[in-house]
Amino acid sequence: MRADTSDVAFRLLLALGELWDGLDRAGVEPSSKGLNLTQEYLGGYTRFSAGPGSHARLVVEWNESSRHLRVLRCEPWPGAEATISATVAHVRAEARVRGIIDIVDRTLVSACQEPSAPCRRTVLSTAMTPPSQPVAVRRA
């Protein structure tokens, strides 16, 4: 998965982020399929941190009005697309049971459509560097 608005899996991840809190309030546990996602509201930006566990492999900040994406961290995440797909399927099934499928589908369908407005993307230099390896310490 690429942290870019041209990538459908990434756009679905952002859409899940928009729905995450509401799903939780509706009794849907979106993280049950292995995707952990948190969001923070920072002025005009929303920071999304996502990954398969407690360590976020992807951290981005998105400003919808200016269509600016800042990539803060983008570490290798094997199976990201499969995890996002399984989460979308789970969320849709649970939303259908709870009667909120119209809202969920509307958000997910719009995420799958190619964006009509251009997007600015900024990648911080530290976003693509691999995590440092632990240094062995020799003790006397």
Side-chain angles (χ1 to χ4, degrees):
M1 180 178 72
R2 293 174 303 133
D4 192 339
T5 57
S6 65
D7 186 79
V8 175
F10 180 74
R11 291 195 313 262
L12 283 170
L13 181 69
L14 292 179
L16 284 169
E18 291 176 22
L19 295 168
W20 204 264
D21 292 336
L23 292 169
D24 190 43
R25 285 191 301 274
V28 177
E29 179 54 49
S31 63
S32 68
K33 295 297 176 181
L35 176 64
N36 289 305
L37 182 78
T38 60
Q39 58 186 342
E40 300 172 68
Y41 299 103
L42 311 166
Y45 288 83
T46 303
R47 179 178 291 169
F48 295 94
S49 302
S54 61
H55 174 72
R57 302 284 176 100
L58 178 67
V59 180
V60 297
E61 293 176 350
W62 172 243
N63 184 309
E64 181 67 39
S65 61
S66 68
R67 301 204 39 83
H68 183 214
L69 176 70
R70 290 191 287 216
V71 181
L72 306 177
R73 180 186 307 152
C74 187
E75 296 175 0
W77 180 3
E81 290 87 356
T83 302
I84 292 168
S85 179
T87 302
V88 167
H90 168 71
V91 162
R92 289 190 72 241
E94 291 294 316
R96 187 172 289 110
V97 169
R98 287 168 175 74
I100 57 172
I101 190 67
D102 291 341
I103 297 164
V104 170
D105 273 353
R106 191 174 322 127
T107 302
L108 296 174
V109 166
S110 70
C112 290
Q113 296 171 349
E114 196 65 33
S116 58
C119 169
R120 263 185 334 132
R121 183 172 178 257
T122 305
V123 178
L124 297 181
S125 62
T126 59
M128 301 306 280
T129 57
S132 62
Q133 297 297 321
V135 178
V137 177
R138 184 175 172 185
R139 296 186 183 208

